[in-house]
């Protein structure tokens, strides 16, 4: 048995997340955010997708392509623990792992047969950077994958608070409702590192070719501006 083998990229995701800041920390947290999965030419085989439409959700196995390193650390600092406490890497979903692989469960909205791209998967709730390489796709099977009595380890002790997002009327008038819904869900998850709590600091988030500026005071985020990237 070989100790190593080659893993080939079969597809990549296409979405509005051009940078790490703002990407949901877990899949499914921002269900309104849409994405497409576009396959490499050799995997655009219609028969490979037979019966996939019968599943509402799928697993994506992918690479933390922006976190590839020559070395790994046995402990990491999870952002939700303030960035100071170290935890074993195998007790986290940190991208800094021996093998930088990610696992995400996303909603399968539809399968489109595109003339040029072949089968394209439309999904919701992905937590991947745009153009992230995907290595495999598997169906989510509720009777096997859902564990209602599962324990949540240290994550259960971390209080999760959704921010209230305020969008001024002048910003609402100039922007699409669907885009604003996406931004509301993304910012409500509080993309800031847990140790940052400066009410005067202006945060900037790039999404769908636009830069969104906002401030956070206590548990309220207020949008300041939305402008197209130059």
């Amino acid at each position: 048995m070989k100790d190593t083998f080659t893993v080939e990229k079969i597809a990549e995701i296409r979405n509005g997340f051009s940078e790490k800041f703002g990407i949901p920390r877990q899949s499914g947290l921002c269900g309104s955010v849409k994405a497409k999965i576009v396959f490499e030419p050799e995997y655009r085989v219609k028969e490979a997708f037979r019966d996939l439409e019968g599943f509402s959700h799928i697993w994506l196995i992918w690479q933390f392509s922006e976190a590839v390193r020559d070395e790994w650390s046995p402990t990491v600092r999870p952002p939700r623990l303030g960035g100071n406490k170290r935890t074993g890497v195998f007790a986290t979903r940190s991208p800094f792992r021996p093998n930088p692989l990610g696992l995400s469960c996303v909603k399968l909205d539809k399968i489109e047969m595109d003339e040029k791209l072949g089968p394209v998967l439309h999904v919701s709730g992905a937590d991947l950077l745009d153009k992230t390489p995907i290595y495999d796709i598997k169906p989510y099977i509720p009777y096997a994958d859902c564990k209602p009595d599962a324990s949540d380890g240290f994550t259960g002790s971390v209080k999760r608070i959704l921010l209230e997002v305020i969008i001024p009327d002048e910003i609402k008038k100039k922007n699409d409702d669907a885009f604003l819904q996406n931004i509301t869900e993304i910012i409500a998850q509080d993309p800031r590192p847990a140790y940052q709590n400066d009410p005067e600091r202006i945060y900037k988030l790039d999404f769908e070719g636009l830069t969104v500026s906002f401030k956070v005071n206590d548990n309220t985020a207020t949008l300041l501006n939305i402008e197209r990237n130059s």
Side-chain angles (χ1 to χ4, degrees):
M1 181 182 295
K2 292 184 178 180
D3 292 331
T4 62
F5 68 98
T6 301
V7 179
E8 294 185 355
K9 170 186 172 182
I10 67 168
E12 68 179 25
I13 197 157
R14 306 275 179 86
N15 61 21
F17 291 114
S18 59
E19 61 177 27
K20 181 180 176 182
F21 184 70
I23 296 178
R25 290 186 171 92
Q26 303 293 340
S27 59
L29 295 181
C30 295
S32 73
V33 177
K34 308 295 183 181
K36 295 180 181 180
I37 297 175
V38 177
F39 289 82
E40 295 296 294
E42 60 266 43
Y43 299 104
R44 296 171 185 174
V45 181
K46 185 177 180 180
E47 288 75 17
F49 302 84
R50 184 183 299 159
D51 297 327
L52 183 61
E53 70 277 1
F55 295 91
S56 65
H57 293 73
I58 56 176
W59 290 106
L60 306 180
I61 300 172
W62 48 279
Q63 182 190 45
F64 287 103
S65 51
E66 300 298 308
V68 177
R69 296 181 174 184
D70 293 331
E71 300 179 350
W72 70 284
S73 172
T75 61
V76 295
R77 296 187 178 97
R80 283 306 187 188
L81 293 180
N84 296 315
K85 181 180 178 181
R86 283 195 169 273
T87 304
V89 65
F90 298 130
T92 75
R93 297 189 178 185
S94 167
F96 305 112
R97 325 184 65 77
N99 293 304
L101 297 177
L103 178 68
S104 297
C105 179
V106 298
K107 186 176 184 296
L108 177 61
D109 295 321
K110 68 176 182 178
I111 303 175
E112 174 192 7
M113 298 306 298
D114 185 272
E115 274 189 26
K116 295 182 178 179
L117 301 176
V120 175
L121 306 186
H122 291 250
V123 300
S124 302
D127 56 340
L128 286 69
L129 186 70
D130 184 49
K131 294 184 174 60
T132 290
I134 296 173
Y135 293 143
D136 202 3
I137 291 173
K138 299 179 185 291
Y140 176 91
I141 302 174
Y143 80 83
D145 295 340
C146 182
K147 307 295 181 183
D149 58 346
S151 58
D152 50 7
F154 71 84
T155 64
S157 64
V158 180
K159 192 175 182 181
R160 183 168 170 260
I161 299 175
L162 293 177
L163 299 179
E164 178 188 1
V165 180
I166 296 176
I167 305 176
D169 289 339
E170 58 268 26
I171 293 180
K172 288 181 180 178
K173 293 176 182 177
K174 297 178 182 179
N175 292 275
D176 178 73
D177 288 344
F179 177 82
L180 292 178
Q181 181 181 358
N182 286 172
I183 288 299
T184 298
E185 284 194 14
I186 293 167
I187 295 178
Q189 300 295 328
D190 196 352
R192 301 174 301 162
Y195 54 83
Q196 288 185 1
N197 191 25
D198 180 0
E200 296 304 315
R201 178 166 182 164
I202 297 177
Y203 296 89
K204 293 189 176 183
L205 184 157
D206 287 345
F207 183 71
E208 296 285 5
L210 298 171
T211 297
V212 180
S213 303
F214 64 97
K215 284 185 176 183
V216 180
N217 189 1
D218 292 328
N219 296 324
T220 301
T222 302
L223 266 61
L224 304 175
N225 189 34
I226 297 178
E227 59 184 354
R228 184 158 297 281
N229 296 340
S230 57

